Amino acid sequence: MPMQQGSSCAIITPMLDSGKIDIPSLRNLLKYHLDAGTDNLCILGTTGEASVLTMDERAQVITTAVDMVKGKMPILCGTGTINPEHVKEMTQQAIDLGCDASLVVTPYYVKPPQRGLIKHFTDTADLGLPVIMYNIPGRTKVDLTPQSTAICAEHPNIVGLKDATGDLDRVKEIRSLVSDDFLLYSGNDDTASNFVMRGGDGCISVTANVAPEEMHDLMVAALEKDADLVQQINGPLMGLHKNLFVESNPIPVKFAAWRAGLIASPFCRPPLAELDTKYYKDVETALYAAGLLDFEILGFDAKVPAMGVNSAAEGDWNYVSLNVRA
């Protein structure tokens, strides 16, 4: 199933407090996105904590996603890392297990030259799975230039780019260098609507984990160049776009998904950790502003977990009269 325009959720990998992957919660999340109209599913990216999963665990996530959504929405699987041989191994696994495309990040830390980046992407594309390149210089410390993007786009299996540079002027430049069917996705929730209105095709979104329907509607409005509707939808989401990054992704969004009753635990694998208690209010307030959570804040010492989740975290506030939007 080919990748589509619109909202792609960079989905979290839910885990139990023991650190094991929580497959029942993952299945519930996948159904949630099907019901909400998410356009593409992005598994095993940074938000999915792919860097700390084994190949067997990756297989669990992929097979669950394929079982739940294959043929209903495209499955984009993160297969990028530094070592090209490991990229090939993960990409071949994605092919064998039924994914529709791979998301391949520029190799981080080692800072390849542009010719090295081009070879990295084209070699991966030679395996046969459609490739979405991922450019995020803030994390990788290397920038795939628009000119290199255009060279890569000549490969028939390189079908798009996730751009997380934050430079909206790049949209017009890249669009002028590639074919009309080359997909341009924003990797920044806060500017995604502007990105699309300037010629992009959608976003690969963290916010969509907790607001999938809203992000789908926002991308539709942006694709239709309906500025008033974009503002109407995006305004209540701006707190989420900001506060889901108060600590390293996916720490805040896992907390948000837990507070919204979507997963059983906010656990993140080391070297990450669960959200610092000083940020609880920021994330909760953003959920409330987006219409995703209703609560009354009182000054108790424990927090009441959402929707019957068994384990309450300790902190210096308590949320009562909690109503989670179904």
Side-chain angles (χ1 to χ4, degrees):
M1 188 174 185
M3 293 290 292
Q4 305 179 81
Q5 293 182 314
S7 173
S8 309
C9 180
I11 197 167
I12 57 177
T13 301
M15 297 175 183
L16 302 172
D17 289 340
S18 65
K20 292 183 178 180
I21 296 175
D22 181 1
I23 296 298
S25 285
L26 178 58
R27 293 180 71 88
N28 288 337
L29 285 177
L30 294 171
K31 184 178 185 303
Y32 179 55
H33 285 283
L34 283 173
D35 293 344
T38 294
D39 298 289
N40 305 288
L41 179 71
C42 180
I43 60 174
L44 298 174
T46 303
T47 310
E49 297 174 83
S51 60
V52 292
L53 299 184
T54 66
M55 290 297 288
D56 285 344
E57 288 173 325
R58 289 177 61 88
Q60 290 180 49
V61 173
I62 295 171
T63 54
T64 301
V66 168
D67 178 61
M68 289 286 295
V69 309
K70 179 73 172 179
K72 300 173 184 175
M73 70 171 73
I75 301 172
L76 174 65
C77 181
T79 66
T81 188
I82 299 175
N83 185 343
E85 292 305 313
H86 193 199
V87 175
K88 291 178 183 178
E89 180 185 15
M90 291 189 291
T91 303
Q92 190 61 54
Q93 181 191 56
I95 293 170
D96 294 342
L97 296 180
C99 294
D100 296 296
S102 61
L103 179 68
V104 181
V105 71
T106 54
Y108 41 88
Y109 189 74
V110 294
K111 299 182 180 179
Q114 294 299 306
R115 64 186 182 278
L117 293 175
I118 292 167
K119 179 174 172 51
H120 185 76
F121 289 120
T122 55
D123 283 354
T124 304
D126 284 343
L127 295 173
L129 191 65
V131 170
I132 303 291
M133 301 180 293
Y134 182 14
N135 190 29
I136 181 167
R139 280 185 179 266
T140 64
K141 301 306 177 185
V142 63
D143 183 15
L144 182 71
T145 66
Q147 292 72 28
S148 295
T149 299
I151 293 170
C152 291
E154 295 175 1
H155 194 296
N157 288 333
I158 296 180
V159 299
L161 172 73
K162 177 183 177 182
D163 183 286
T165 63
D167 182 0
L168 293 175
D169 291 333
R170 281 203 177 190
V171 184
K172 182 178 180 180
E173 182 179 4
I174 295 172
R175 180 55 74 202
S176 71
L177 297 172
V178 299
S179 63
D180 290 342
D181 60 355
F182 187 82
L183 294 163
L184 294 180
Y185 296 112
S186 170
N188 300 91
D189 280 299
D190 58 343
T191 57
S193 56
N194 288 332
F195 183 100
V196 172
M197 293 185 75
R198 290 180 179 221
D201 294 288
C203 65
I204 298 179
S205 169
V206 174
T207 298
N209 277 279
V210 290
E213 183 177 353
E214 290 80 359
M215 288 305 298
H216 166 78
D217 291 346
L218 178 63
M219 290 299 98
V220 170
L223 286 164
E224 294 176 350
K225 304 294 191 289
D226 189 335
D228 290 339
L229 185 56
V230 163
Q231 184 174 6
Q232 178 183 330
I233 297 170
N234 203 36
L237 299 177
M238 289 303 293
L240 285 173
H241 299 335
K242 175 183 176 182
N243 292 344
L244 291 182
F245 295 92
V246 291
E247 287 195 305
S248 296
N249 181 44
I251 293 172
V253 72
K254 276 196 151 181
F255 175 83
W258 173 72
R259 289 301 295 146
L262 298 173
I263 58 176
S265 169
F267 182 87
C268 293
R269 279 193 182 173
L272 298 181
E274 293 182 22
L275 187 68
D276 192 308
T277 56
K278 69 182 180 182
Y279 295 120
Y280 285 176
K281 184 176 181 180
D282 295 325
V283 176
E284 290 274 13
T285 302
L287 286 168
Y288 176 78
L292 303 173
L293 203 65
D294 296 329
F295 59 83
E296 179 181 330
I297 302 175
L298 298 176
F300 299 127
D301 289 333
K303 297 191 313 302
V304 177
M307 290 183 69
V309 173
N310 290 328
S311 61
E314 293 183 356
D316 57 359
W317 349 7
N318 187 30
Y319 302 115
V320 299
S321 302
L322 184 70
N323 296 301
V324 180
R325 190 195 64 179

